[in-house]
Every structure is written in structure tokens, then in C-alpha cells.
Amino acid sequence: MTQKFPCIKTLRQNKLLLWLLILTITIIWGYAWVLMKASIEFMGPFSFSFLRFGVGTVTLMLFVWLLKIGIPPRESWKHLLIVGTLQTAIVFLFVMFALRYVDAGKSSVLLYSMPIWSSMLATKFLQEKITPAKMAGLWIGMLGLLTILGWDIWVGQNPSIIIGELLIIIAAISWAVSNVYYRIHVQDLPKIQATAFQMLFGTIAIFIVTLFMEWGEPVHLNAQSTYYILFTGVLASALCFTVWFIILGMIDMVTATISTMLVPMFGLVFSSLLLNEEMTPSIVVGFVLIVIGIIVAQLKNPRLQ
């Protein structure tokens, strides 16, 4: 892999460049939340997800072909199907549907509660020890979620918003399950190959759901909506996910997990600036608690490998 990607050696030797790359990826992902929310004005949420990941899949398959990586072993297809269903299909079908009712900034905070669920699952399935610090961190993170959800419940929020928030939390749990499943069954495959084929299977699942749920609904393609599809499909999906999996081979999982919390921070900022969404005290407090919980639960001697 290093021979096909000479830049990997450069990243290993230059920590500043590595962290600048991580910062760039998290900014792109944070900005993508604004585009995901705005796309609903032009088409159904499932149609957008299909077009986004369809473009992302084609992009990745092109790279797989150009780099002559080939297709994964037949015995890996079942595992890639499961990862694609959990990580691509379920996560983004639920999130895009919920974005009809939930602000983009709040949605990004709820989805990136994923490390909390990953930590709990890793304890059970990856034999990671549940230390007192980790237990305390999990409780702090859960308090952060309750701060966001509980406030909406007590102030008499619209039930559709609460249902949307719960769907995003389910999506976060699905993402966490896929992370653990990936670690157990898929991590030995070339990163770009695994990303391309799990996205392919996830896109097929999204297409099937779109046919049943949004058949006949209008899809308005113009310069603006095409930009949303290309940005989220090529940059936020194909490129960023591939680069992210490569980075995970260079940096310890703890530091990588914590760095993902930059995404909802940028998501909140971009949503406030570009969509005029209100950054309520409950969202800010809940976000801070989730970050603190993840740090307390997982941070121990982070280091670059």
C-alpha cells in the first residue's frame, strides 16, 4: 500500500501534515451537514443519499480499477455487505430522514455520540477493559445526550423532532456496531477496497429503499443540487472516508475517535452561519458533556504510531 501511495510515508514522517489533513477532513464533514440539510429542498432524503453514495461508489471503484487493487475475496463479501448496510445504508437513511425535522447542527452532535456506543461495544466484543474512568466517561456522555433530548421533551417539543433525534441516535449505534464488526472481520483488506465495496453494498440497499419510499417524487437537478451531490459524494464520502481509513492505520484509535468530535463543532458553526440555526444552551452544554465523556472514557497515553 505504501508503494502505491507514496504520500503515506510522508504523512508518517510529518505529524503536522497529518494533523492538518485530519483538520481538513473534519471541516469537510462538518460543512457536509449543511449541504445534507439543504438538499431536502430539491429532492427526497433517500434520493439524495442514493445519488450521493452512487457518485461516491463510482469514484472509489475508479480508483480501485486505476490502482489495480481488484475485488475482495469471495469470503469477505458477506462481511462487507453487513458493514455497508450498517455504516452506509442505515446511518444515512436514518440521518437524512431525520434532517427533515432536526436541525443540521444538533443532528451532527447526536450522530457523533458514536464513540460512546463504540466504547461500550468494544468492551463486550473486543475484550477491552471497562475501567472506572471509562465508566465515568460513558455516564458523562449519556448525560450529554439527555441534556439535548431531555430539554426538548420538557419544553414540549414537536414529537416529530424527538422521533428524528432518536433515529439519529439509532444511526450512531449502527455506526458503532459497524466499527466493531469492521475491526473483527474486515480490517485486513486494503482500505480503499473495503471502503469501495462496503459503499457499493450500502448504496444498493439505499436504492431499494428509495424505490419503495420515494418512487415518483420529483428530483430537481440544477447547479446547486448537483454541487451538493458532488461535494458530499466525491469529497465527503469517497475521498474523506478513504483517507480517514488510511489515517486510522497511522494514529491510535483513541486519538482518532476524539478528533472526530471536531466534526459536530464545525457542523454547529456552519449550520449557525449558513442556515441561521439557533445554537441553544442545551445543545452547547450537551455537546461539551459528550466531548468530556469521550475524553474521560477513552483517552490514555495517545500516541502516533
Side-chain angles (χ1 to χ4, degrees), residues 14-15 24 33 50 83 85 110 112 121 137 139 168-169 199-200 228 230 238 245 292:
N14 192 325
K15 294 181 180 180
T24 301
W33 281 93
F50 167 66
V83 172
T85 301
L110 292 174
Y112 279 86
L121 292 169
W139 280 109
I168 296 172
I169 292 178
M199 192 174 292
L200 171 64
Y228 295 163
L230 292 178
F245 283 131
I292 292 174

Side-chain angles (χ1 to χ4, degrees), residues 109 112 144 147-148 261-266 268 281-292:
V109 172
Y112 279 86
T147 300
I148 297 173
M261 293 311 303
L262 291 170
V263 177
M265 182 188 75
F266 289 124
L268 286 170
S282 65
I283 295 175
V284 175
V285 173
F287 170 68
V288 171
L289 287 172
I290 290 172
V291 173
I292 292 174

Side-chain angles (χ1 to χ4, degrees), residues 115-116 119 131 133-138 292-299:
I116 296 175
S119 180
T131 64
K134 181 172 289 188
M135 180 63 71
L138 292 175
I292 292 174
I294 292 171
I295 292 174
V296 171
Q298 298 193 20
L299 184 58

Side-chain angles (χ1 to χ4, degrees), residues 1-298:
M1 181 65 71
T2 302
Q3 294 176 347
K4 292 184 177 181
F5 294 96
C7 58
I8 293 180
K9 183 177 180 180
T10 303
L11 289 175
R12 290 185 185 277
Q13 296 172 346
N14 192 325
K15 294 181 180 180
L16 177 60
L17 183 60
L18 177 62
W19 284 107
L20 286 175
L21 187 59
I22 291 174
L23 180 63
T24 301
I25 290 173
T26 53
I27 291 174
I28 291 174
W29 279 342
Y31 175 59
W33 281 93
V34 173
L35 305 187
M36 289 160 60
K37 178 74 172 181
S39 70
I40 299 175
E41 298 178 7
F42 300 95
M43 64 195 75
F46 301 152
S47 297
F48 174 77
S49 294
F50 167 66
L51 291 173
R52 169 190 177 175
F53 287 106
V55 169
T57 298
V58 170
T59 304
L60 286 172
M61 287 300 179
L62 180 61
F63 276 106
V64 169
W65 176 69
L66 290 174
L67 295 171
K68 299 180 180 178
I69 296 176
I71 64 175
R74 183 67 61 87
E75 59 269 17
S76 300
W77 284 36
K78 176 184 71 174
H79 303 308
L80 290 168
L81 172 62
I82 292 173
V83 172
T85 301
L86 291 171
Q87 180 172 309
T88 297
I90 292 179
V91 170
F92 287 96
L93 285 173
F94 281 27
V95 165
M96 286 302 302
F97 181 82
L99 278 173
R100 280 182 164 176
Y101 312 104
V102 186
D103 287 347
K106 183 188 291 186
S107 299
S108 65
V109 172
L110 292 174
L111 184 64
Y112 279 86
S113 66
M114 172 273 297
I116 296 175
W117 314 110
S118 291
S119 180
M120 296 173 66
L121 292 169
T123 301
K124 173 68 175 178
F125 296 101
L126 299 179
Q127 287 74 52
E128 293 188 5
K129 294 183 179 180
I130 183 74
T131 64
K134 181 172 289 188
M135 180 63 71
L138 292 175
W139 280 109
I140 294 172
M142 293 299 294
L143 180 60
L145 289 177
L146 291 175
T147 300
I148 297 173
L149 294 178
W151 179 265
D152 284 351
I153 294 173
W154 289 112
V155 299
Q157 188 63 268
N158 189 317
S160 62
I161 294 178
I162 297 174
I163 292 173
E165 292 171 350
L166 292 174
L167 285 176
I168 296 172
I169 292 178
I170 294 173
I173 295 172
S174 180
W175 187 4
V177 173
S178 74
N179 287 341
V180 174
Y181 193 90
Y182 181 95
R183 288 278 298 273
I184 296 174
H185 297 287
V186 184
Q187 67 173 348
D188 292 333
L189 294 178
K191 300 299 184 292
I192 190 171
Q193 183 189 71
T195 306
F197 280 86
Q198 71 84 14
M199 192 174 292
L200 171 64
F201 290 129
T203 301
I204 293 172
I206 291 174
F207 176 67
I208 294 172
V209 172
T210 303
L211 284 179
F212 280 97
M213 301 297 295
E214 294 181 358
W215 178 260
E217 292 191 16
V219 175
H220 300 290
L221 293 177
N222 52 32
Q224 193 172 358
S225 61
T226 301
Y227 165 70
Y228 295 163
I229 293 169
L230 292 178
F231 186 96
T232 57
V234 177
L235 288 180
S237 298
L239 179 62
C240 284
F241 275 116
T242 300
V243 173
W244 183 252
F245 283 131
I246 292 173
I247 288 173
L248 287 179
M250 307 179 193
I251 193 172
D252 65 275
M253 187 64 66
V254 172
T255 305
T257 301
I258 293 172
S259 67
T260 62
M261 293 311 303
L262 291 170
V263 177
M265 182 188 75
F266 289 124
L268 286 170
V269 172
F270 285 129
S271 299
S272 178
L273 293 176
L274 301 177
L275 298 178
N276 298 316
E277 293 181 356
E278 183 182 4
M279 199 179 301
T280 64
S282 65
I283 295 175
V284 175
V285 173
F287 170 68
V288 171
L289 287 172
I290 290 172
V291 173
I292 292 174
I294 292 171
I295 292 174
V296 171
Q298 298 193 20

